[in-house]
Amino acid sequence: MDKLIPLINTLQDAFNNVGLTFIDLPQIAVVGSQSSGKSSVLENVVGLDFLPRGSGIVTRRPLVLQLVNKPPGTQDWGEFLHLPGQKFT
């Protein structure tokens, strides 16, 4: 199972890059009005505070999260598809 998740994430990225969606994976859609707590819902699902905070509109764009199990004791990080290879802690 540990090798399956990265493989599925790689395939999902490849399919998304060419506009295809052949892999039917479980997904969560969070919908609501401005400042209704959508980002907080996502953070609670993940179990980490990782989205920006502020007044007004802060996270105004679609967001795709891919969760990956990591070895215990390693630092959590995030990576954005438009900045490949750059890890944000």
Side-chain angles (χ1 to χ4, degrees), residues 45-87:
V45 167
V46 173
L48 297 169
D49 293 331
F50 63 94
L51 293 171
R53 302 262 184 233
S55 60
I57 299 172
V58 180
T59 53
R60 186 182 186 170
R61 57 186 57 249
L63 177 64
V64 175
L65 298 176
Q66 290 179 333
L67 304 180
V68 178
N69 286 329
K70 58 181 191 57
T74 57
Q75 185 176 16
D76 295 323
W77 55 271
E79 185 175 341
F80 298 95
L81 292 178
H82 69 285
L83 299 171
Q86 293 185 31
K87 295 182 179 182

Side-chain angles (χ1 to χ4, degrees), residues 4-89:
L4 180 62
I5 293 173
L7 175 62
I8 295 294
N9 285 344
T10 300
L11 288 172
Q12 185 180 29
D13 289 342
F15 287 142
N16 284 335
N17 285 337
V18 296
L20 302 174
T21 55
F22 286 109
I23 302 176
D24 189 21
L25 299 174
Q27 298 183 8
I28 298 172
V30 182
V31 180
S33 60
Q34 181 179 331
S35 300
S36 63
K38 298 177 297 296
S39 295
S40 297
V41 168
L42 292 173
E43 287 183 334
N44 280 305
V45 167
V46 173
L48 297 169
D49 293 331
F50 63 94
L51 293 171
R53 302 262 184 233
S55 60
I57 299 172
V58 180
T59 53
R60 186 182 186 170
R61 57 186 57 249
L63 177 64
V64 175
L65 298 176
Q66 290 179 333
L67 304 180
V68 178
N69 286 329
K70 58 181 191 57
T74 57
Q75 185 176 16
D76 295 323
W77 55 271
E79 185 175 341
F80 298 95
L81 292 178
H82 69 285
L83 299 171
Q86 293 185 31
K87 295 182 179 182
F88 295 86
T89 58

